[in-house]
Amino acid sequence: MRRLLFLLALTLAPIVSRAQCEMENTAFKSGEVLIYDLYFNWKFIWVKVGSATMTTIKSVYDGQECYRSSLLTRGNKTADKLFVMRDTLMSIVTPRLAPVYYRKGALEGGQYRVDEVWYSYPDGKCSLSQRYRNPKGEVSTAKYVSAGECVQDMMSMFLRARSFDPTSWRKGQRIHFKMADGSEVKDKVLVYRGREKFTMRNTGVVYRCLVLSFVENEGGKERDIVTFYVTDDANHMPVRLDLNLNFGSAKAFVSAQTGLRHPLTSIVK
């Protein structure tokens, strides 16, 4: 009997580990498409420089049903004269939001970088294989194993955050997590900034939103990397993103959406 229980425990170990990294998806469904207008701060004015599209669909990865979420950003002709930007991010997660694969290909200012992360959950652990290609074409790899903590990437954490329940949150609440970044795993913080109503720059629509920021510690000082505004309804749809980039500041405002899972009740009449 003891031997049977021991074998059963070994069999269930990867499942238990992945279950620790899982949570119920309450916010989105397959077929969701979000389209954004991109603006860049250029000499004290905000200029429209392109568009972005985020799609989430059901897919199959390594034989299991998953969600594949992709974010594509493209600069327009005006922006290309100043700064070429072509970014493609993709995250594949299980139906219960445990990450299994991530890729970011970024062409920014003539420099091309690629981040890739493969996740697995052997022996009750969260294991990562990372691959990073720098602008010179040099490739570095890394392994990371965490016995007691889950690791996210920026896209999988973004998907996960949409299903958070903010009912009991207070302004300034901090959520600590580990995130794969290049060939490293870093400690990150998600900070809740509170509720806010704002008018969209591009459409004039007024939304009631929850505001959250990805925060990074640099030299003992915290800096917001991305601040995103999500609708204060069951979708938690991101309608605005403020990005602090290596080459300046950018904003993204949603211009169209289809395939939402819930009614969009956060629009202020």
Side-chain angles (χ1 to χ4, degrees):
M1 182 65 177
R2 287 182 180 178
R3 179 177 174 79
L4 178 60
L5 291 175
F6 175 72
L7 291 174
L8 182 60
L10 287 178
T11 303
L12 292 177
I15 300 173
V16 172
S17 174
R18 195 173 75 181
Q20 293 172 350
C21 299
E22 292 180 339
M23 67 180 295
E24 182 182 0
N25 167 33
T26 62
F28 61 85
K29 65 179 181 179
S30 178
E32 181 185 85
V33 179
L34 309 176
I35 301 174
Y36 297 85
D37 292 330
L38 299 180
Y39 293 82
F40 182 67
N41 187 235
W42 178 255
K43 295 183 178 180
F44 307 107
I45 61 172
W46 287 97
V47 180
K48 185 177 178 181
V49 294
S51 62
T53 303
M54 183 182 295
T55 60
T56 302
I57 61 172
K58 281 187 177 179
S59 184
V60 174
Y61 180 82
D62 198 22
Q64 63 176 324
E65 184 177 288
C66 292
Y67 285 112
R68 185 177 77 236
S69 186
S70 302
L71 175 64
L72 283 72
T73 64
R74 295 290 183 269
N76 56 27
K77 292 181 179 179
T78 301
D80 284 350
K81 295 177 182 178
L82 305 172
F83 191 93
V84 176
M85 181 175 65
R86 300 286 189 275
D87 289 357
T88 303
L89 288 78
M90 180 178 68
S91 183
I92 300 178
V93 300
T94 68
R96 290 185 59 82
L97 307 181
V100 292
Y101 177 72
Y102 170 72
R103 185 185 190 278
K104 177 183 178 181
L107 175 60
E108 298 174 351
Q111 295 188 329
Y112 185 63
R113 300 177 175 86
V114 178
D115 291 339
E116 285 186 283
V117 185
W118 292 264
Y119 300 84
S120 60
Y121 303 89
D123 303 323
K125 300 175 182 179
C126 178
S127 177
L128 280 69
S129 295
Q130 296 169 264
R131 183 179 186 272
Y132 174 65
R133 178 191 183 277
N134 68 20
K136 295 180 180 180
E138 299 166 341
V139 175
S140 59
T141 60
K143 299 282 187 180
Y144 182 87
V145 178
S146 174
E149 295 179 284
C150 299
V151 182
Q152 305 287 332
D153 51 72
M154 182 169 287
M155 282 284 286
S156 69
M157 187 60 186
F158 189 75
L159 294 172
R160 187 180 186 86
R162 290 184 62 181
S163 290
F164 286 162
D165 181 3
T167 304
S168 61
W169 285 3
R170 293 184 179 182
K171 190 174 181 179
Q173 181 162 335
R174 301 165 73 86
I175 301 167
H176 295 264
F177 65 100
K178 290 189 177 296
M179 188 173 81
D181 184 7
S183 57
E184 301 178 288
V185 173
K186 299 179 180 180
D187 292 320
K188 301 287 185 180
V189 180
L190 188 64
V191 180
Y192 175 54
R193 302 299 188 189
R195 285 178 165 83
E196 183 179 328
K197 291 179 184 178
F198 77 95
T199 304
M200 299 290 289
R201 172 190 296 269
N202 54 343
T203 63
V205 177
V206 181
Y207 288 98
R208 186 178 65 255
C209 287
L210 307 169
V211 186
L212 302 101
S213 296
F214 276 124
V215 174
E216 205 170 62
N217 193 307
E218 296 182 348
K221 294 184 178 180
E222 289 191 341
R223 183 172 76 101
D224 289 359
I225 303 302
V226 182
T227 297
F228 54 96
Y229 296 67
V230 300
T231 55
D232 190 8
D233 55 34
N235 295 291
H236 290 166
M237 179 184 76
V239 293
R240 169 181 163 183
L241 293 88
D242 296 354
L243 304 97
N244 292 315
L245 307 172
N246 293 331
F247 55 89
S249 300
K251 294 182 185 290
F253 298 92
V254 73
S255 58
Q257 63 278 327
T258 59
L260 297 183
R261 180 172 175 177
H262 306 284
L264 198 57
T265 59
S266 58
I267 295 177
V268 179
K269 301 297 184 181

